[in-house]
Amino acid sequence: MTHDLLTALRPLLAAEARAEAPAAGAEPGDLEQAVWLRLLERLDAEGPPRQPERWLRRAVRTEARRTRRTSGRERPYEGDPADDGDRGPEQLALASARRRDLRAAVRRLPGRCPRLLEALLSPRDLTYREIAGELGISQGSLGPERSRCLGCLRRLLAAEVAAPGARG
């Protein structure tokens, strides 16, 4: 019963989420995921709803309202929230040197990797859509391209780290 219910509701949920997402300022997939979770919690606690389609439409709208309210209250951090702010000059100098080394290594990568990783490291905190537009590639290829570039960067940095000397 549960699998059949989920299969039957999938197209309706996708359509409802696509319809509500723009007004909520959310991605349709995020709304879908929240409603699926809500439905699974309900199935576990109370069993299936008597009118699943009606329940689903109401759940999508409720999640969209919750998303709107939450996004209205969210504010970007001015600084890094994990930053304790009590770093001394030595820690600041070491962090700065690490950032310089990382950026230098990124510039030595092949192909589009330097531009992609610089966009990802940008203080402007670009979205995947903005990065794809800047680089002239599809948004869907950013993830695999990013993974490939990070693999290249790992190999490059691993080769630069000095092997430990003989001990004893």
Side-chain angles (χ1 to χ4, degrees):
M1 165 77 181
T2 303
H3 180 70
D4 294 337
L5 176 66
L6 297 178
T7 303
L9 291 177
R10 179 174 283 130
L12 177 61
L13 177 55
E16 290 289 328
R18 274 194 313 273
E20 291 291 330
E27 294 291 324
D30 292 343
L31 284 178
E32 283 184 57
Q33 186 176 23
V35 172
W36 281 129
L37 179 61
R38 195 176 226 216
L39 178 60
L40 292 174
E41 288 171 344
R42 180 194 164 95
L43 290 172
D44 189 43
E46 304 170 33
R50 277 187 279 175
Q51 298 175 325
E53 291 83 7
R54 184 173 180 210
W55 180 92
L56 184 120
R57 286 184 184 103
R58 201 171 332 124
V60 170
R61 285 174 182 79
T62 300
E63 288 301 326
R65 275 194 308 276
R66 178 177 293 141
T67 300
R68 269 193 304 275
R69 278 193 314 268
T70 302
S71 66
R73 284 187 242 136
E74 289 177 343
R75 298 287 176 250
Y77 285 112
E78 294 300 318
D80 185 0
D83 186 10
D84 61 7
D86 293 335
R87 295 189 291 178
E90 183 180 359
Q91 288 82 14
L92 292 173
L94 289 172
S96 179
R98 281 192 300 270
R99 282 191 301 273
R100 275 193 311 276
D101 291 344
L102 175 64
R103 299 244 183 222
V106 165
R107 284 190 295 274
R108 291 192 308 272
L109 290 172
R112 293 193 283 219
C113 290
R115 289 186 60 214
L116 173 61
L117 292 180
E118 283 295 336
L120 289 169
L121 292 169
S122 169
R124 296 183 307 165
D125 196 24
L126 301 170
T127 64
Y128 265 28
R129 179 175 291 158
E130 292 167 333
I131 293 171
E134 272 190 21
L135 299 178
I137 60 177
S138 73
Q139 187 175 343
S141 67
L142 275 179
E145 184 86 10
R146 176 188 61 106
S147 294
R148 188 182 66 74
C149 292
L150 289 175
C152 288
L153 182 61
R154 266 188 226 100
R155 286 188 297 279
L156 179 72
L157 292 175
E160 290 180 1
V161 173
R167 295 184 185 183

